[in-house]
Amino acid sequence: MSKKPIIVFEGIEGSGKSHHISVVSKYLTKKKITHIKIREPGGNVSSEKIRRLILNNKSNFNKNTDLLLYLAARSENINTIESSYKKKVILIDRFTDSTIAYQHIGMGVDINLIKILNKFLLKNIKVDFTFLNLVNKQNLYSRLKKRKSLNRYDKFDMSFYNKVQKGFVKISKVNKKKYQLVNSNLDIKKNEQLILNTIDQLIK
Ligand code: TMP
């Protein structure tokens, strides 16, 4: 594996992935390891514009439009990723697995279409490792309730998130060596340590 890997943080809402990616970014900064941290949808000025459009509560796109908008946002990130690929550690908050889990498994968009579009955008870019954060229904519910404002994708019913989370787990089983499952119902500090131990292995 490259010493400058692409590391992705995946999981449903309230699973703690954004917290953990920030902890990892601070850790790398402390160790003076050059890295970039981006999120999807979003990550740069143009992509953040698309994010606001997709997640706006007043938006009412169909599932195919959503797919194309998520991929449009990804398209705007590819240059950013390419310019740091194998030169810096790249941390990404959600990436291609989210598209399969939400748009295909959750919403039923054609998987082949998603694969073709991702391949077209990513070309030779490959994710090296993924932390998949898992949360139970109770914690998901209470974490969403605590959020100050909910966007369009924070408002699905619990069965949808359950389906998407099971989808993520299924995806991870295809290449188990490239995934670490993080049980975010457990102690957050212990999880941070588990993740940082793996990060040490990934960048050594
Ligand atoms: P976030 O709140 O974790 O930043 O994610 C925003 C939402 O976008 C989240 O509900 C998942 C959704 N999403 C997709 O449905 N498909 C995708 O390809 C990506 C990247 C995100």
Side-chain angles (χ1 to χ4, degrees), residues 13 17 40-41 51 55 70 74 93-95 98-99 102-103 151 153:
E13 279 62 10
K17 62 182 174 46
E40 283 211 351
R51 179 187 175 93
L55 298 179
Y70 280 116
R74 184 160 303 143
D93 187 338
R94 293 195 184 283
F95 203 43
S98 273
T99 321
Y102 282 81
Q103 275 64 54
N151 68 42
Y153 265 64

Side-chain angles (χ1 to χ4, degrees), residues 80-113:
T80 313
I81 295 173
E82 269 172 352
S83 57
S84 293
Y85 193 46
K86 300 210 189 285
K87 293 187 203 111
K88 294 178 184 175
V89 175
I90 301 175
L91 306 176
I92 316 181
D93 187 338
R94 293 195 184 283
F95 203 43
T96 48
D97 285 357
S98 273
T99 321
I100 298 173
Y102 282 81
Q103 275 64 54
H104 171 59
I105 297 168
M107 297 177 174
V109 177
D110 181 8
I111 183 71
N112 291 319
L113 176 62

